[in-house]
Every structure is written in structure tokens, then in C-alpha cells.
Amino acid sequence: MHFTDIFIKRPVLATVLSLLILLLGIRSLQLLNVREYPETSNAVISVMTPYVGADAELVKGFVTTPLEREVAAIDGIDYLESSSIQGMSSISAHLRLDYDPYKALTQVISKVNKVKNELPEGSEEPVIDVSVGSSSKSMYISFYSDILEPNQVTDYLIRVVQPQIQAIDGIQSADILGARTFAMRVWLKPDKMAALDLTPLDVRQVLLNNNFLSAVGSTKGNLISVNFSASTNIHSAEEFCNLAVTEYEGSIVRLSDVADVRLGAE
């Protein structure tokens, strides 16, 4: 007689033991501690460099390529991704699993600073960011208004909504997709500029000379201290329109004479 014969002769006992084993397995699965598994993390370091007005080939040759060459030399990189579009260079460095992202971030900053002086004069400062863990979006929130313009909605989101969402514990980032940031749009009229012997560079120089921020300092006496302030920047489309561009045959040529100026979005 074998030991297993008892389960054949007593099917009820066999059924009870099978159910007992099943219940013990389910309970063990519920008590299984996930923290017993090793903790792993992946990170991505991104380098974004705006180059306003440049086409994709120019961005690729003079911004993306030199930056990518330097970033590829750091330790801990699994693979690189880069893209060059109109006015923007983007490089994403995917790190190896469990590699210290902040150690890699320090090396990236050092490499970018090394080649920064070789970038074109018109390019802006590279923006370096690190994303630890999954970078997929977990929630999308839509905003609209029947009263406000799209750029006004964007301004409200930047000033009010975005800081509150980013302050929530566990939120890595809150990005605004399709943002319409305020910008003064100056649309030049080529025919009128040609008649007045003006170039876009002349208009750009006028804008730079008349719209800037200035810190004029302060003065201090024995009994009083006065802080100076100077209004050197322009705030409205009307003020832009009144800018004097040049003088032609004794008459002042203003920006509104050679361009359409309106407050729009980037």
C-alpha cells in the first residue's frame, strides 16, 4: 500500500487538502513584500538649446553636433537621442540602469560649459534638466476660456496653476503643452523698407537700443538714501509703434511706418 492510496480511497480528504494548499498560496501572495525586490531606477538628462530663427540644418551643424560630441564622452550613458528642428536643438542622454543621475549631470554641465563658447552668437544658453524614473505623462488637464485669449490663458497657467501643481508631493514636472507665451510681433513691410533704404538689421538694432533693462543704482547722503529706477523697456504695442527708426528727407520714420506691430504669442 502506497501513501497516495489514501487520497484515492478518501476523495473528500484530498479535496480539503487541495483547497488548504490553494488558500495558503493565495495568502502568501498577499503577504509578499515588494520591497524585497531590488530597487532600480533609470534617468534621462536633456540638453535644450534655443537658436531662434535658424533652420534645422544650421541648428544641427553648429549646435547639436558639437554638444552631442561632448555629451557622448561622459560616463554612464546607455545611448543618445538628438533632434534638430527650426530654432531648437534637443539632446537626450539615457543613462545605464542604476547609474547615479546627479553624478552624470555634473559631467554634462562641465562638458556643455566647455563647448558653450563655440556655439553661434545668436544661440541662447543651453538648458540642462534631469528626469529620474518614468518620464511618461500620467495625467493631462485641459484648460480653455470663452473670455481670455490663448496667450492670456498661458500666462494664467504659468503664474497660478503650474506652481501649485509642481508643489504637490510626488509630482516630477508639470509641463504646458501648446503654450502661447506673450510676445511682441513685429511684421516688417519689405516694400516700404526698400523705399526708405532700411534693412531688418537696422530695425533690430533700434529695438535693442530702445528696449532693455537698466539698473541705475542708488545714491546715499548723510541723512537719506535714494534708490534710482529708470523706465527703459517698452510695455505696449503703441510704444513700439512710436519708436523712431530713422530720418528720411527731414521726416522721422517710426516703426509703425515700416511694420505691423501687435501683441501676440511666440
Side-chain angles (χ1 to χ4, degrees), residues 254-265:
R254 301 191 182 276
L255 187 60
S256 58
D257 298 326
V258 295
D260 292 325
V261 182
R262 65 175 63 92
L263 182 61

Side-chain angles (χ1 to χ4, degrees), residues 128-175:
I128 305 174
D129 192 19
V130 58
S131 175
V132 181
S134 176
S135 59
S136 61
K137 307 295 182 184
S138 58
M139 178 183 293
Y140 292 89
I141 304 176
S142 176
F143 293 86
Y144 73 96
S145 174
D146 297 329
I147 302 174
L148 301 178
E149 296 292 331
N151 48 11
Q152 293 176 322
V153 174
T154 300
D155 181 65
Y156 174 77
L157 295 178
I158 294 175
R159 291 186 296 104
V160 180
V161 179
Q162 190 180 43
Q164 295 185 18
I165 295 179
Q166 288 180 334
I168 300 176
D169 188 24
I171 298 295
Q172 181 169 288
S173 65
D175 301 324

